[in-house]
Amino acid sequence: MIHYIIVLFIIHVLSIHSINADSFQAKNMSLAHQDDFITLLQQQLRMPHYKKEVLPNDFSYVSQLITFGTTSNQPPIYLRSVIKMFSNMLKSSHYVNAYALSSLLEQLPTIVNPYFSYPLTTRFITNSALYDSSFTDRFAATVHSALYIKFSTEYESFRQNPDLFLHNISADIVSLAHEEMEYVQIRNDLIRFCDIALSKLIWNPHDQEKTWEITKKIAVQLARLVEHNILDDSNDLDDLYWTLLNRYCYFLEIAALDMPESFYKALKFDMSSNSSVLFALPEQDFIIESKLSYMQRIIMESEVRVYGFQHGLLR
């Protein structure tokens, strides 16, 4: 049922923003032939053209499907289905446009936030600080509050029928635990999606310093996911930062000879001013090379390659 809803909405979206003029000639098909159109649409989404050329440059369908879910009050499993579907399609992509991903990340806190409203938990806790706490702290406080409220307001029910009373409390606790687990699953799905996208990022060497600016912007946008409690563990943010940094350093390695001397000077000056949140997060693994040291080393090695090529020492 969830996947059917997703497909129906994609029909609406693609009828407005078709991938190309020839792909969706049946977009005005009558409802009587809707099943045939759904089959056609499924075939289109399976085509390498969409997964390898369209999706890497345009995540608008992702954001539109998520927005549809929030505005139509779809359950959390709907969001998980959307993220999972596009995560798997993204695995077929050879690259991801950095600007396209940044555009999606800019919208993500707003469009996903309704799925982190804790409707059951808010019935028992009023301290907003608890929503920024860890799962164990928040859940313990919620259960404590639920037990206190139940016993203080329904004690007579407990005396008259303790088995029914305890059964109802148990059901409430199970529902609270289920709500928390749904949020954990959504977070894991979003982390997986972001990690896949970050690991495939590309930049245009002709943009020079702008490639670093959009990378820093992506780092800020990832940090906003923590601020909005979409991510609740700094370790997860650190992992995403490492994926982002490794990908950008790989770009520096393969594009080293295409970059002017001014590019490297700008990067070194920027890092010396500590202007990026990419390096502000405390290192989680003190044994290995830090993110800042790693990037500084890659820049130095790239400069050496440029110097050697310009002076005929390297080919």
Side-chain angles (χ1 to χ4, degrees):
M1 181 63 181
I2 293 297
H3 288 89
Y4 188 80
I5 294 174
I6 292 174
V7 171
L8 287 179
F9 183 71
I10 293 177
I11 292 173
H12 171 70
V13 171
L14 295 182
S15 67
I16 301 173
H17 305 288
S18 58
I19 294 176
N20 58 62
D22 301 322
S23 295
F24 298 95
Q25 295 177 355
K27 63 185 178 182
N28 293 319
M29 186 179 295
S30 66
L31 293 177
H33 298 87
Q34 192 176 73
D35 289 341
D36 292 337
F37 184 72
I38 290 174
T39 300
L40 175 63
L41 179 61
Q42 289 174 332
Q43 294 172 351
Q44 296 294 332
L45 290 179
R46 291 170 182 165
M47 290 179 60
H49 171 76
Y50 177 77
K51 293 184 286 188
K52 293 185 178 181
E53 298 181 32
V54 179
L55 180 59
N57 296 292
D58 186 358
F59 289 97
S60 60
Y61 299 155
V62 181
S63 59
Q64 289 167 346
L65 278 169
I66 294 174
T67 301
F68 169 77
T70 56
T71 55
S72 60
N73 296 316
Q74 297 299 321
I77 191 174
Y78 169 86
L79 176 60
R80 295 196 63 202
S81 297
V82 171
I83 298 300
K84 176 181 172 59
M85 180 176 68
F86 282 100
S87 292
N88 287 331
M89 284 196 288
L90 203 58
K91 293 174 183 177
S92 298
S93 303
H94 294 158
Y95 68 92
V96 170
N97 186 306
Y99 292 97
L101 180 61
S102 177
S103 178
L104 174 64
L105 290 175
E106 187 66 28
Q107 305 173 62
L108 203 57
T110 301
I111 62 178
V112 172
N113 191 62
Y115 279 101
F116 291 87
S117 59
Y118 293 92
L120 298 179
T121 301
T122 52
R123 292 164 48 191
F124 300 107
I125 61 173
T126 57
N127 184 1
S128 59
L130 285 172
Y131 296 106
D132 295 326
S133 302
S134 65
F135 158 73
T136 53
D137 290 341
R138 181 175 53 253
F139 186 65
T142 306
V143 172
H144 178 273
S145 179
L147 292 173
Y148 178 83
I149 292 173
K150 285 289 186 180
F151 275 102
S152 62
T153 60
E154 303 176 24
Y155 184 70
E156 190 61 32
S157 298
F158 170 66
R159 290 184 59 189
Q160 294 177 2
N161 193 337
D163 288 341
L164 178 61
F165 181 83
L166 293 175
H167 173 78
N168 291 337
I169 285 183
S170 299
D172 287 340
I173 293 174
V174 169
S175 297
L176 290 168
H178 180 68
E179 180 179 77
E180 287 284 358
M181 291 308 300
E182 283 183 329
Y183 294 143
V184 170
Q185 292 169 337
I186 291 174
R187 285 189 178 101
N188 289 338
D189 291 336
L190 287 170
I191 290 169
R192 189 178 300 111
F193 174 84
C194 289
D195 196 60
I196 294 171
L198 292 169
S199 69
K200 295 174 179 279
L201 285 181
I202 62 167
W203 297 260
N204 187 341
H206 293 295
D207 288 344
Q208 298 181 13
E209 287 92 339
K210 290 182 180 179
T211 63
W212 177 233
E213 293 302 319
I214 191 63
T215 302
K216 292 195 297 180
K217 183 177 181 180
I218 290 173
V220 171
Q221 291 167 331
L222 292 172
R224 286 181 59 214
L225 299 181
V226 177
E227 295 174 5
H228 287 78
N229 204 36
I230 296 170
L231 298 183
D232 64 349
D233 191 339
S234 60
N235 285 309
D236 293 330
L237 180 61
D238 185 65
D239 290 343
L240 294 177
Y241 276 0
W242 269 113
T243 304
L244 174 61
L245 183 64
N246 274 302
R247 188 63 179 179
Y248 189 71
C249 286
Y250 174 67
F251 162 74
L252 292 180
E253 291 176 335
I254 62 176
L257 302 181
D258 297 317
M259 297 302 189
E261 183 180 354
S262 59
F263 168 77
Y264 296 107
K265 287 183 178 179
L267 257 62
K268 289 188 292 185
F269 176 80
D270 192 75
M271 285 188 292
S272 66
S273 63
N274 297 318
S275 64
S276 175
V277 298
L278 188 58
F279 307 115
L281 192 68
E283 295 293 340
Q284 304 295 313
D285 302 304
F286 67 92
I287 296 177
I288 65 175
E289 186 178 27
S290 69
K291 288 187 284 292
L292 179 60
S293 176
Y294 170 54
M295 184 165 176
Q296 289 174 330
R297 177 172 58 80
I298 295 299
I299 290 176
M300 181 181 67
E301 292 174 356
S302 298
E303 285 185 300
V304 169
R305 285 183 59 202
V306 172
Y307 179 86
F309 180 80
Q310 290 177 343
H311 291 80
L313 301 176
L314 298 174
R315 295 183 180 178

